[in-house]
């Protein structure tokens, strides 16, 4: 039996055989065979938009690998900065490569003073940090006009700047929202500890984060670093396909992540748990979800039809965090929700399991982050994944994204002057 499919056009009786390669069927063949007839897949639920070597998901078996390495091993043994190198360059770094990479990232954490003084300080005190982040990332493109040069060595410079500056922009947005002075990066600290310093430092000469919390945040950064063709990565590749510069493309991806169906879900989970209020209200809430009146935030996934492997690791990490911070009182409600949902046919039939966002918000809240910073905490590490996809797209020299459509509007009709309407 050949690894292929045969398409027959019953209007003509003609057929073509198309090979199945890498789990897919190339559209070129059937586009020629069926001119003007399109396979309709509005949310790309069954359509591949890219051939990518960065991340592999197996939704049925709950598998996630970055460049072939299982997420469980990376979370256990690696660091976000090393994983970022792996995603961008395709291989784990040698000690010398890692030291160069760490030096470059550490020495590009500063932002131009005007980004802080002119942009961040121009926002309302209660501006949502994601709105500030999207805007300031886009603004960076005006500070680095040579970023329009998409040659590999120039793109790589912007990649280092973006990975390095995201924590600075993120913490700056937070400090502005609470009326605290901006904290400059401390180059003697590692990636996660420096971010925590820029978030929480007050009058002390140096902010030393609790090592257990810094490590837990670094693990969360690893888990959020990439996730193949998710909504925001598709935005990155779409905008990148027009050859917009890396800052503009990253701003578009960050904007896509903001939505509550995507990166905004971790914030929505905490709001949901808070609204439920107590364990004994869980059954009533589950009934509202089953009646379609509510959504079980942090549950369900387009790809995972099994437990999201990241949720399992985050749940383990939460125990280490709560050992330092004290248990988040919403955890018991979350555990009860999970227990009830995983034994209810409504969720089982729809293969709805906790996803990456179900427990992450509990950790962020226990670590003192306000809810409107949760999606920002997702955007910081996902920048490495977005940029890996941007680089891959340019290297593949793929064409500009331009899907077709099924036109279902009015047939042709003549204009009617307003006095005759
Ligand atoms: C992320 O793509 C990625 O990789 C994303 C991400 C990443 O790392 O980039 O993993 C990060 O975005 C995780 C998802 C975070 N979002 C949430 O937790 C929000 C709540 N979840 C959903 O809105 C939903 O599950 C989605 C958006 C995640 C997935 O939506 P799909 O694939 O379009 O699924 P669907 O809406 O077609 O749902 C299938 C059925 C429907 O029921 P029926 O209409 O068939 O009766 O399941 C139901 C849905 O109503 N359903 C839910 C549900 N999610 C789906 N019912 C209740 N609660 C939910 N959370």
């Amino acid at each position: 039996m050949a690894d292929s499919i045969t398409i027959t056009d019953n209007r003509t009786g003609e057929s073509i055989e198309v090979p199945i390669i890498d789990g897919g069927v190339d559209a070129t063949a059937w586009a020629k065979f069926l001119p003007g007839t399109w396979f309709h897949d509005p949310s790309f639920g069954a359509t591949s938009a890219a051939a990518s070597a960065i991340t592999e998901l197996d939704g049925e078996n709950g598998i996630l690998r970055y460049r072939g390495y299982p997420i469980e091993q990376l979370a256990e043994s690696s660091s976000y900065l090393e994983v970022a190198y792996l995603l961008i360059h395709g291989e784990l770094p040698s000690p010398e490569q890692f030291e160069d990479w760490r030096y470059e990232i550490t020495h590009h954490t500063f932002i131009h003073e005007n980004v802080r003084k002119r942009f961040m300080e121009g926002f309302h005190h209660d501006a949502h940090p994601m709105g500030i982040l999207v805007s300031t990332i886009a603004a960076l493109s005006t500070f680095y006009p040579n970023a329009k040069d998409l040659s590999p060595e120039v793109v790589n410079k912007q990649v280092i700047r973006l990975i390095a500056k995201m924590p600075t922009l993120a913490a700056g947005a937070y400090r502005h929202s609470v009326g605290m002075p901006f904290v400059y990066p401390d180059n003697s600290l590692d990636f996660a500890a420096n971010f925590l310093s820029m978030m929480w430092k007050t009058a002390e000469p140096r902010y030393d984060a609790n090592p257990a919390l810094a490590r837990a945040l670094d693990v969360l950064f690893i888990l959020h670093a990439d996730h193949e063709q998710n909504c925001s990565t598709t935005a990155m590749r779409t905008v990148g396909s027009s050859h917009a510069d890396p800052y503009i493309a990253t701003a578009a991806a960050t904007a896509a992540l903001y939505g509550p169906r995507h990166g905004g879900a971790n914030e929505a989970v905490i709001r949901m748990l808070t609204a439920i209020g107590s364990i004994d209200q869980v059954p009533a809430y589950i009934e509202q979800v089953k009646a379609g009146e509510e959504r079980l935030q942090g549950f369900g996934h387009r790809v995972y039809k099994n437990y999201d492997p990241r949720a399992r690791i985050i749940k383990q990490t939460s125990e280490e965090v709560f050992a330092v911070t004290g248990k988040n009182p919403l955890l018991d409600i979350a555990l009860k929700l999970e227990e009830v949902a995983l034994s209810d046919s409504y969720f089982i039939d729809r293969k709805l399991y906790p996803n990456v966002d179900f427990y992450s918000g509990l950790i962020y809240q226990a670590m003192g982050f306000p809810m409107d910073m949760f999606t920002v905490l997702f955007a910081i590490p996902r920048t490495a994944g977005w940029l890996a996809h941007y680089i891959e797209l340019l290297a593949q020299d793929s064409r500009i994204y331009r899907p077709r459509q099924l036109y279902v509007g009015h047939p042709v009709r003549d204009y009617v002057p307003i006095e005759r309407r």
Side-chain angles (χ1 to χ4, degrees):
M1 185 74 78
D3 250 7
S4 65
I5 61 165
T6 299
I7 301 177
T8 300
D9 185 342
N10 293 321
R11 298 167 297 183
T12 63
E14 287 177 22
S15 298
I16 56 164
E17 184 178 356
V18 191
I20 297 170
I21 300 169
D22 296 331
V25 173
D26 187 338
T28 314
W30 45 259
K32 285 188 186 131
F33 180 63
L34 292 166
T37 300
W38 314 114
F39 281 70
H40 188 50
D41 185 15
S43 64
F44 308 125
T47 302
S48 158
S52 178
I54 298 167
T55 291
E56 181 185 10
L57 293 193
D58 174 342
E60 287 308 317
N61 300 301
I63 287 171
L64 168 58
R65 301 185 187 119
Y66 293 161
R67 302 286 189 182
Y69 295 98
I71 192 69
E72 294 80 3
Q73 294 181 24
L74 293 171
E76 177 68 30
S77 311
S78 188
S79 66
Y80 167 69
L81 224 40
E82 183 177 73
V83 164
Y85 183 98
L86 172 66
L87 290 169
I88 296 289
H89 295 287
E91 298 295 336
L92 288 170
S94 67
E96 298 74 25
Q97 288 168 330
F98 183 69
E99 187 40 41
D100 289 346
W101 174 253
R102 190 197 62 74
Y103 180 89
E104 285 297 306
I105 297 291
T106 301
H107 291 82
H108 283 85
T109 49
F110 274 67
I111 55 176
H112 191 291
E113 279 290 90
N114 282 352
V115 174
R116 177 173 67 84
K117 289 175 182 166
R118 296 280 183 274
F119 279 95
M120 286 195 177
E121 291 180 6
F123 285 94
H124 262 265
H125 69 90
D126 58 355
H128 195 293
M130 279 299 284
I132 298 176
L133 190 61
V134 172
S135 314
T136 45
I137 294 168
L140 285 181
S141 71
T142 67
F143 287 83
Y144 304 106
N146 73 328
K148 291 181 173 55
D149 173 351
L150 302 189
S151 57
E153 60 280 4
V154 175
V155 168
N156 192 55
K157 187 85 176 172
Q158 318 316 327
V159 165
I160 287 166
R161 284 177 171 140
L162 272 161
I163 290 173
K165 294 177 193 321
M166 281 297 268
T168 312
L169 294 173
Y174 167 71
R175 299 286 289 200
H176 174 73
S177 71
V178 292
M180 289 288 284
F182 182 80
V183 174
Y184 288 100
D186 179 341
N187 288 352
S188 68
L189 298 173
D190 70 20
F191 192 87
N194 178 40
F195 172 63
L196 292 173
S197 165
M198 293 190 286
M199 281 291 298
W200 307 130
K201 185 171 179 290
T202 49
E204 65 278 41
R206 173 190 159 102
Y207 180 88
D208 286 307
N210 179 302
L213 298 186
R215 174 59 190 159
L217 189 60
D218 202 60
V219 169
L220 283 160
F221 283 170
I222 291 171
L223 297 174
H224 285 84
D226 192 54
H227 214 240
E228 58 131 276
Q229 306 302 319
N230 59 84
C231 180
S232 52
T233 299
T234 300
M236 185 77 180
R237 291 183 83 115
T238 302
V239 174
S241 77
S242 75
H243 284 186
D245 72 60
Y247 300 99
I248 294 298
T250 302
T254 308
L257 188 73
Y258 196 177
R261 283 175 152 184
H262 188 15
N266 49 22
E267 184 178 333
V269 168
I270 297 298
R271 294 188 192 285
M272 171 185 73
L273 296 174
T274 306
I276 292 171
S278 66
I279 286 183
D280 54 19
Q281 294 304 314
V282 164
Y285 186 80
I286 289 287
E287 289 313 308
Q288 285 179 285
V289 171
K290 290 162 68 175
E293 295 159 14
E294 294 290 351
R295 195 133 265 224
L296 191 48
Q297 300 302 339
F299 259 68
H301 199 278
R302 175 62 60 77
V303 175
Y304 290 126
K305 299 310 171 190
N306 199 316
Y307 213 95
D308 183 332
R310 300 168 297 177
R312 187 176 293 112
I313 298 168
I314 290 174
K315 197 172 170 183
Q316 292 159 5
T317 305
S318 67
E319 288 155 19
E320 289 139 38
V321 170
F322 298 154
V324 174
T325 63
K327 194 171 81 169
N328 186 324
L330 297 176
L331 175 67
D332 291 334
I333 300 174
L335 291 170
K336 185 68 178 170
L337 262 180
E338 179 181 353
E339 176 203 320
V340 174
L342 296 189
S343 59
D344 186 306
S345 61
Y346 177 91
F347 301 93
I348 295 167
D349 296 348
R350 290 166 175 79
K351 299 188 175 184
L352 299 176
Y353 293 88
N355 58 47
V356 67
D357 294 296
F358 190 62
Y359 286 105
S360 57
L362 290 169
I363 293 179
Y364 296 145
Q365 190 175 52
M367 291 175 79
F369 291 104
M371 271 193 284
D372 59 11
M373 277 294 287
F374 289 5
T375 308
V376 172
L377 291 164
F378 195 148
I380 293 172
R382 186 53 60 90
T383 300
W386 290 332
L387 290 166
H389 284 273
Y390 180 90
I391 291 168
E392 182 175 71
L393 177 103
L394 293 181
Q396 290 170 338
D397 193 26
S398 56
R399 302 168 70 198
I400 191 168
Y401 277 30
R402 205 278 182 220
R404 307 310 295 262
Q405 66 165 19
L406 306 187
Y407 178 68
V408 294
H410 281 285
V412 64
R413 51 182 173 165
D414 294 326
Y415 179 79
V416 178
I418 192 164
E419 58 274 9
R420 286 174 30 208
R421 283 177 223 155

